[in-house]
């Protein structure tokens, strides 16, 4: 069978060869004649991903406009400047100026933040972003980001199970399946069902599905179309399985060296407000991707309240406790953070 290359990989190759960014918009007429500081923003999503086009590009343009052209943000998608699981560290080291990555891509690096990914904590991306920023502002997870200047903590929405010709109605249906996992949290829950979690970047998942290396994936709905997974998968189990999170941060030295007025531009466009804007795009996109799958005729299985479902409650709670125990074993108080995350969830209901 001929292997099809996803559109996102072609975009990445094009960008890598040309060295161009997605933010070469003309600067407005009221540009300040002072020095221009260019910030390179690296992330793993494709150039045509709507998180890039509807959230990140408008954010970069707003920064440029409010700085009167003195700040320019060049966006490099498709992991052309840094690997998906190394972008946060690349930002801390100054290899890139701004980076966005999923915390789950670096196992053990953000253990307390990832407690917010556990099932039952959140229902939407916007609620999850609110929870993350409450925990950060209260100092609960702040230490995990001390080596960068934090811009935003992003919720992406609930992860579902997506497979090729393999309906999953109960955990028993997962036994023996190889499921791509995005994080340690999802991995523990997948193992608890009897399936085998397989770690890999999103960019490698298409060909792995096509070649039968994996049987399915645990993923939020938003990237299903952006990475062309909808061409292969045809069966979906909508279950609040896990909730992936992203961090957007800036190199601390780069931020500290900006003049105060430009720092203010960055500050005015970061934090909980920035997170809310990006996570709203996730919520809308998740709903659209799900609707497109239904229209395509895919099999849709809904398990809306798995923590009270006699089949699903056991493995979900087992996987969650396994993760909490693992974090507790490092000397951190995971149980306390878990309780605080649940309290923040109630305060962030939208």
């Amino acid at each position: 069978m001929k292997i099809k290359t996803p559109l996102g990989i072609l975009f990445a190759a094009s960008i890598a060869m040309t060295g161009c960014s997605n933010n070469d918009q003309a600067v407005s007429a009221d540009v300040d004649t002072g020095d221009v500081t260019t910030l390179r923003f690296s992330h793993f999503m494709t150039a045509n991903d709507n998180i890039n086009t509807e959230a990140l590009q408008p954010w970069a343009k707003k920064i440029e406009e409010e700085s009167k052209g003195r700040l320019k943000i060049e966006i490099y998608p498709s992991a052309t400047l840094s690997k998906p699981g190394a972008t946060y560290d690349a930002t801390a080291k100054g290899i890139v100026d701004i980076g966005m990555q999923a915390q789950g891509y670096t196992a053990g690096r953000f253990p307390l933040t990832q407690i917010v990914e556990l099932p039952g904590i959140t229902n939407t991306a916007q609620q999850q972003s609110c929870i993350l920023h409450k925990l950060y502002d209260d100092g609960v997870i702040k230490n995990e980001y001390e080596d960068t200047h934090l811009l935003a903590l992003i919720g992406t929405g609930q992860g579902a199970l997506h497979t090729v010709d393999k309906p999953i109605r109960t955990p028993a249906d997962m036994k023996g399946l190889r499921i791509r996992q995005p994080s340690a949290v999802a991995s523990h829950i997948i193992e608890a069902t009897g399936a085998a979690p397989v770690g890999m970047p999103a960019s490698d998942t298409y060909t792995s599905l096509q070649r039968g290396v994996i049987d399915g994936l645990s993923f939020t709905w938003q990237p299903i179309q952006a990475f062309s997974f909808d061409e292969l998968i045809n069966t979906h189990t909508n279950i609040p399985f896990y909730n992936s999170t992203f961090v957007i941060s800036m190199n601390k030295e780069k931020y500290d060296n900006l003049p105060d007025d430009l720092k203010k531009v960055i500050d005015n466009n970061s934090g909980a407000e920035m997170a809310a804007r990006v996570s709203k795009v996730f919520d809308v996109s998740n709903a659209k991707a799900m609707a497109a799958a239904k229209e395509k005729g895919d099999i849709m299985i809904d398990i809306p309240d798995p923590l009270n479902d006699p089949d699903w409650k056991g493995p979900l709670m087992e996987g969650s406790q396994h993760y909490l125990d693992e974090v507790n074993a490092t000397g951190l108080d995971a149980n306390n953070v878990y309780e605080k995350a649940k309290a923040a969830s109630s305060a962030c209901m939208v």
Side-chain angles (χ1 to χ4, degrees):
M1 180 171 63
K2 185 177 179 181
I3 303 299
K4 181 172 180 180
T5 302
L7 184 59
I9 295 177
L10 297 176
F11 269 90
S14 174
I15 293 169
M17 289 187 291
T18 62
C20 294
S21 78
N22 288 321
N23 278 71
D24 293 330
Q25 300 101 332
V27 179
S28 58
D30 63 345
V31 169
D32 191 289
T33 57
D35 292 338
V36 175
T37 298
T38 299
L39 303 173
R40 298 182 306 160
F41 186 166
S42 175
H43 67 79
F44 70 93
M45 291 180 161
T46 60
N48 64 321
D49 190 301
N50 66 340
I51 299 301
N52 185 56
T53 59
E54 297 175 24
L56 302 182
Q57 286 185 359
W59 176 80
K61 184 177 180 181
K62 193 167 185 283
I63 294 286
E64 185 172 352
E65 290 174 347
E66 292 186 10
S67 69
K68 294 184 168 56
R70 292 166 59 208
L71 282 176
K72 182 176 177 63
I73 297 177
E74 293 181 344
I75 298 181
Y76 293 83
S78 300
T80 53
L81 289 187
S82 58
K83 293 181 179 179
T87 298
Y88 181 85
D89 285 336
T91 306
K93 295 173 182 177
I95 297 170
V96 301
D97 302 310
I98 300 173
M100 181 178 78
Q101 86 161 57
Q103 284 92 330
Y105 280 6
T106 309
R109 179 63 182 79
F110 307 96
L112 297 180
T113 298
Q114 287 194 258
I115 289 173
V116 181
E117 297 182 12
L118 293 173
I121 296 293
T122 180
N123 295 314
T124 67
Q126 292 176 82
Q127 183 189 21
Q128 190 178 17
S129 291
C130 174
I131 295 167
L132 288 165
H133 276 276
K134 278 190 178 296
L135 295 178
Y136 181 85
D137 292 343
D138 290 345
V140 178
I141 59 176
K142 191 171 185 176
N143 289 348
E144 295 187 341
Y145 304 95
E146 283 188 334
D147 50 352
T148 64
H149 179 78
L150 185 78
L151 297 180
L153 296 167
I154 311 295
T156 68
Q158 295 179 340
L161 294 168
H162 313 273
T163 55
V164 182
D165 299 327
K166 298 180 186 293
I168 296 174
R169 293 181 172 85
T170 70
D173 295 325
M174 292 185 68
K175 189 173 182 179
L177 297 184
R178 296 155 299 175
I179 304 293
R180 183 265 181 186
Q181 55 88 4
S183 69
V185 169
S187 179
H188 288 316
I189 296 172
I190 290 169
E191 284 185 323
T193 67
V198 181
M200 66 178 65
S203 55
D204 294 340
T205 304
Y206 185 97
T207 51
S208 294
L209 273 172
Q210 196 174 44
R211 292 170 175 159
V213 175
I214 56 175
D215 302 299
L217 55 146
S218 56
F219 231 136
T220 55
W221 274 96
Q222 183 275 333
I224 296 301
Q225 292 175 313
F227 285 96
S228 301
F229 300 145
D230 57 328
E231 297 177 357
L232 302 175
I233 55 179
N234 56 13
T235 306
H236 314 271
T237 302
N238 288 314
I239 177 172
F241 197 65
Y242 75 100
N243 302 273
S244 189
T245 61
F246 287 177
V247 54
I248 303 177
S249 60
M250 182 174 176
N251 177 264
K252 185 175 286 189
E253 183 177 0
K254 196 79 172 185
Y255 174 83
D256 289 343
N257 287 337
L258 290 175
D260 288 344
D261 63 327
L262 294 187
K263 285 180 184 177
K264 191 172 188 304
V265 172
I266 296 291
D267 295 345
N268 289 345
N269 291 281
S270 60
E273 185 179 345
M274 177 189 184
R277 283 199 219 103
V278 179
S279 59
K280 183 176 181 179
V281 177
F282 268 110
D283 280 333
V284 172
S285 301
N286 288 336
K288 287 182 178 178
M290 191 186 304
K294 289 179 180 178
E295 186 175 348
K296 184 162 71 82
D298 288 1
I299 297 172
M300 308 293 284
I301 300 164
D302 294 316
I303 305 169
D305 189 14
L307 292 181
N308 288 309
D309 184 284
D311 292 317
W312 287 96
K313 180 179 180 179
L316 262 63
M317 294 306 295
E318 178 186 337
S320 296
Q321 191 59 54
H322 188 173
Y323 180 76
L324 293 173
D325 290 345
E326 189 174 77
V327 177
N328 282 327
T330 68
L332 297 170
D333 192 348
N335 292 334
N336 181 48
V337 176
Y338 185 46
E339 293 305 315
K340 289 182 177 179
K342 288 191 287 186
S345 176
S346 297
C348 288
M349 288 293 291
V350 292

